[in-house]
Amino acid sequence: MADHGHHAADIPQMDYAEHERTYHGFLHFAEVGTVACFAVVAALAVGGTKHAWGVALIGTLLTLVGTAVGIASRSLAWKAPAVPFALMMVALVLL
């Protein structure tokens, strides 16, 4: 077997608390990002099917703001970009 110059005593112990923190951060980002993608797709649907590109632009900008708030705040998380998603779905039905 190849010798890489490392011995078992040289390897530092795993920092499981940091691994857990990183994993929870990834899940938080994935949740917020998924809802934000749904909101952008809903805004594109409003613009493409209803030809209301102004409303779609406003929905996209609200999604960007909601995503930033959701990433910054763990208590709001996915709920922040869910608001523009719900507004775009209502616009899709009513327009």
Side-chain angles (χ1 to χ4, degrees), residues 28-68:
H28 174 73
F29 182 77
E31 289 172 350
V32 173
T34 300
V35 176
C37 286
F38 288 153
V40 169
V41 169
L44 288 172
V46 168
T49 60
K50 305 297 183 176
H51 301 291
W53 289 105
V55 175
L57 178 65
I58 291 170
T60 303
L61 294 175
L62 286 175
T63 300
L64 290 174
V65 171
T67 302

Side-chain angles (χ1 to χ4, degrees), residues 2-34:
D3 184 21
H4 297 290
H6 296 288
H7 300 290
D10 295 341
I11 300 172
Q13 293 295 318
M14 298 295 289
D15 187 2
Y16 289 108
E18 185 64 25
H19 284 263
E20 287 290 322
R21 192 178 73 79
T22 302
Y23 177 69
H24 289 297
F26 170 76
L27 288 181
H28 174 73
F29 182 77
E31 289 172 350
V32 173
T34 300

